[in-house]
Amino acid sequence: MQTFQFLSVAVLALVASASASSHSINVINNCGSPTTVQLPGHGNFGAGSRTINGDVRGGIAQACSDINGVGCTSVEFSLVDGVSSADITLIPPHKFDHPASFTLDNGKTGATCSNANCGPDNAFYKSTDYTAQRQVNGPNSSIRIQFC
Ligand SMILES: *[C@@H]1O[C@H](CO)[C@@H](O)[C@H](O)[C@H]1NC(C)=O
C-alpha cells in the first residue's frame, strides 16, 4: 500500500513537471555528416526542430554518428524550469571535427567554435573552462544549434 502511494506521488510529480515547461530544440547540420542528438529520458534524435515537454538534463548534440560525441565537437545542454545552460565541449574524448555554434532563447546568449583553437571562452578544453558556459533563466528555455 505504501509503495503504491509512493509510486502515485512519483507519477503525479512527473506529470506536473512535464506540463510545467517546454523546450524548443533546433539542430541544424550543414556539414554533410550524420547528426546525433541524445536527450536522456526523451530519446535519441537526428537534425531538426522539436519541442520537448519537461526538463532536458545532460542533452548532447554533434555532427557525427557517435551518439555520445566521441571524437566530435559536441554541444551539451540542460534546459530546465529555471537556470538553463549550454556549452560546446572539446574535452577528450570529444575532439574538434566540425565548427559548432549555439544560441539560447532566440539569440539571448550563445557561443561559437569555428576551429580547434577557438579557446576556452568558446569551448571547454578542460572541466574548469567555465568561461565557455552560457546560461539563461526562465521556464521555457530554447536552444538553436548549428554545425558548419
Ligand atoms: C511554458 O510552457 C508551458 C507549457 O507549454 C506553458 O503552459 C507556460 O505558459 C509557458 N510559460 C511561459 C512563461 O511562457
Side-chain angles (χ1 to χ4, degrees):
M1 187 59 181
Q2 276 187 333
T3 303
F4 177 74
Q5 281 175 342
F6 170 76
L7 280 175
S8 303
V9 170
V11 167
L12 280 176
L14 273 177
V15 169
S17 78
S19 60
S21 66
S22 68
H23 304 280
S24 159
I25 300 173
N26 188 13
V27 181
I28 297 152
N29 180 1
N30 296 324
C31 304
S33 55
T35 314
T36 51
V37 182
Q38 185 181 161
L39 306 178
H42 300 282
N44 296 334
F45 304 91
S49 187
R50 54 192 49 83
T51 299
I52 301 293
N53 290 317
D55 291 351
V56 175
R57 295 178 191 275
I60 191 168
Q62 46 274 320
C64 72
S65 55
D66 191 283
I67 195 69
N68 297 308
V70 173
C72 318
T73 312
S74 292
V75 178
E76 311 173 295
F77 50 93
S78 287
L79 305 175
V80 302
D81 185 355
V83 178
S84 294
S85 65
D87 62 80
I88 299 169
T89 181
L90 296 175
I91 298 175
H94 301 285
K95 181 174 171 285
F96 186 91
D97 67 334
H98 294 294
S101 64
F102 71 86
T103 63
L104 290 166
D105 288 1
N106 299 313
K108 194 174 277 182
T109 184
T112 298
C113 184
S114 304
N115 59 65
N117 302 313
C118 65
D121 287 349
N122 302 301
F124 275 89
Y125 290 79
K126 56 185 193 307
S127 58
T128 51
D129 289 339
Y130 305 116
T131 51
Q133 194 150 14
R134 303 292 186 268
Q135 293 187 335
V136 290
N137 197 358
N140 295 336
S141 50
S142 64
I143 191 167
R144 179 189 187 278
I145 298 169
Q146 184 170 332
F147 298 99
C148 298

